[in-house]
Amino acid sequence: MKIYLDMDGVLTNFEDRYVEKFGEFPKDLDKRRQHFWDNWKKFVDDADFETLPKHKNCDELLEAVRALRLPVEILSSSGGGYSHDVVVEQKKKWLASNGIEFPANIVPGGGHKAKFANPWHILIDDTENVIERYRKAGGTAIHHVDIHETIKQLHALHLEWEGGE
């Protein structure tokens, strides 16, 4: 059994920083319009991934996964494209500055997370289409919306892994 933690929306508060900078929610865009990519470039150029605030439930979630004493890794997306390497470095710096030493897998887009799917590899992610792809690839995933529900589901899966009911 292994746990994969997403960063943006699970450990970090990407959305609030994006709204603060650009006055719109990134998920509100129907399609990836040019101004989104202009905003993205500014976000990356300003090293925002390195300085994002922790998500309000980050520490509680980290405490819960550490208590299970299972392997934990980061599984996050860089957004791909020209900025992949830069975002990877920013995210690694964020993890280090926040004392999170789990191995980091930072893929060039959310769809690539499905390559890590395994029935006993649990992805905790806040993006529905990523969750759906991961599950279709044979993985187990928790759609992170509410910290208490996420922890409840994680404990139930751990109990099942241990042979309980």
Side-chain angles (χ1 to χ4, degrees):
M1 188 173 197
K2 181 186 292 188
I3 299 168
Y4 287 116
L5 295 173
D6 177 40
M7 288 181 71
D8 304 320
V10 176
L11 300 180
T12 71
N13 197 331
F14 167 79
E15 192 167 87
D16 282 357
R17 173 73 59 85
Y18 190 93
V19 170
E20 176 186 304
K21 284 182 78 103
F22 307 115
E24 63 186 2
F25 289 93
K27 292 179 182 180
D28 286 347
L29 300 175
D30 293 333
K31 295 183 179 180
R32 301 289 187 174
R33 299 184 304 235
Q34 182 59 43
H35 84 271
F36 174 85
W37 293 113
D38 292 342
N39 291 351
W40 179 264
K41 182 174 180 352
K42 179 160 179 48
F43 202 88
V44 172
D45 290 348
D46 290 350
D48 277 299
F49 284 105
E50 189 176 328
T51 62
L52 287 172
K54 279 185 180 179
H55 193 279
K56 66 181 178 180
N57 303 121
C58 176
D59 291 330
E60 186 176 357
L61 180 59
L62 290 172
E63 183 179 320
V65 298
R66 285 180 175 129
L68 295 175
R69 300 198 187 289
L70 296 169
V72 178
E73 295 184 15
I74 301 300
L75 184 52
S76 187
S77 171
S78 70
Y82 74 93
S83 62
H84 175 73
D85 293 337
V86 175
V87 173
V88 167
E89 288 308 310
Q90 289 179 21
K91 287 187 173 205
K92 286 181 177 181
K93 286 179 181 178
W94 186 92
L95 290 165
S97 70
N98 284 280
I100 300 170
E101 298 178 357
F102 302 130
N105 306 285
I106 302 174
V107 296
H112 292 273
K113 292 180 183 183
K115 294 175 185 173
F116 291 76
N118 174 296
W120 288 108
H121 291 178
I122 302 164
L123 172 64
I124 299 174
D125 201 296
D126 66 313
T127 305
E128 286 186 71
N129 67 348
V130 170
I131 293 290
E132 290 169 15
R133 288 180 190 172
Y134 191 85
R135 287 177 177 157
K136 283 182 184 174
T140 301
I142 297 172
H143 183 211
H144 181 70
V145 177
D146 173 78
I147 185 66
H148 303 292
E149 186 58 31
T150 295
I151 291 172
K152 178 180 169 186
Q153 289 180 43
L154 191 56
H155 282 288
L157 288 166
H158 185 253
L159 185 61
E160 183 180 340
W161 171 258
E162 294 290 324
E165 298 188 27

